[in-house]
Amino acid sequence: MTKKNRTMLIGSIGAGKSTLTNALLGREIPAIKTQALVYRDWIVDTPGEYIENPFFYKNIMATALEVTHVLYLQDATKQKTIFPPGFSTGITKLPIGVVTKCDSEKADINQAIDQLKRVIPKGPIVITSAITGQGLEEIRNLVKCNSMDEMKEYVKMIPEEVVIFV
Ligand SMILES: Nc1nc2c(ncn2[C@@H]2O[C@H](COP(=O)(O)OP(=O)(O)OP(=O)(O)O)[C@@H](O)[C@H]2O)c(=O)[nH]1
Ligand SMILES: [Mg+2]
């Protein structure tokens, strides 16, 4: 992993940010409720409250200054999305949409993709599962990319069941 590239994860309470963080880092421990910012190697894990309560948006903006990429997580098993439309356009870091829990029988992957398209007007969307490992390698590689064009080129090599570019 390129040392200078780092990503922040944001998404609703229980969307799977900490579980994904552990899976991306190869840490085989269960996630516990995130209470504050957690810095681990090239990942900054945030509490779901940061995006669920607009009072904390300033924390998201401040933390974004420290990273190159932002992962916007949408839980495939949840109907609702907590991101305001176009939320990523207010953050000048490379956006990556992430559908979580694609392994679940309750997952509606297409709905989750549609929700993320409203958050990220342009960028990759990765369909992941921390249980099966789908999409993990693709996220690691996207965070190594240094521009939107580089991410777009990378996505061309990946099956569209795993990553699409919008
Ligand atoms: N089926 C399935 N469940 C998952 C997956 N990832 C996370 N979960 C479950 O979702 C629940 C919440 O996971 P967390 O990783 O703690 O969620 P979080 O986004 O960090 O939540 P906060 O820290 O409260 O903001 C846990 O019960 C996980 O086991 C996945 O890929 N598949
Ligand atoms: Mg957490």
Side-chain angles (χ1 to χ4, degrees):
M1 176 59 58
T2 314
K3 273 296 162 213
K4 67 182 171 63
N5 285 12
R6 293 157 61 94
T7 191
M8 169 169 76
L9 277 70
I10 57 177
S12 65
I13 296 166
K17 298 176 296 297
S18 302
T19 306
L20 185 66
T21 297
N22 288 338
L24 286 168
L25 297 175
R27 290 160 47 94
E28 292 182 2
I29 53 160
I32 49 163
K33 170 80 197 142
T34 312
Q35 306 282 5
L37 287 175
V38 178
Y39 291 80
R40 255 189 235 297
D41 200 340
W42 53 278
I43 299 180
V44 187
D45 185 15
T46 67
E49 286 77 1
Y50 272 33
I51 185 69
E52 296 218 3
N53 185 343
F55 177 79
F56 291 112
Y57 285 0
K58 60 182 182 297
N59 299 55
I60 293 179
M61 298 306 169
T63 310
L65 298 175
E66 305 172 27
V67 299
T68 50
H69 294 64
V70 178
L71 267 53
Y72 299 85
L73 273 67
Q74 174 64 45
D75 186 335
T77 69
K78 290 280 146 55
Q79 290 281 336
K80 66 161 194 166
T81 183
I82 32 71
F83 295 109
F87 189 73
S88 77
T89 59
I91 301 177
T92 59
K93 302 294 173 159
L94 292 172
I96 301 173
V98 177
V99 176
T100 59
K101 311 185 190 180
C102 78
D103 61 272
S104 169
E105 58 185 23
K106 287 188 288 174
D108 186 340
I109 292 167
N110 288 326
Q111 177 180 265
I113 290 171
D114 285 343
Q115 287 162 329
L116 284 171
K117 282 180 181 171
R118 276 180 240 130
V119 182
I120 302 170
K122 187 183 176 197
I125 296 178
V126 190
I127 297 120
T128 74
S129 165
I131 290 177
T132 68
Q134 176 174 317
L136 300 181
E137 192 57 28
E138 287 75 13
I139 292 176
R140 293 187 193 106
N141 287 327
L142 284 165
V143 175
K144 289 177 191 165
C145 294
N146 293 313
S147 67
M148 188 66 88
D149 285 344
E150 218 179 293
M151 292 202 295
K152 190 172 183 177
E153 282 305 305
Y154 172 71
V155 170
K156 286 180 184 163
M157 305 188 294
I158 310 298
E160 58 181 17
E161 294 80 41
V162 182
V163 190
I164 59 167
F165 195 90
V166 297

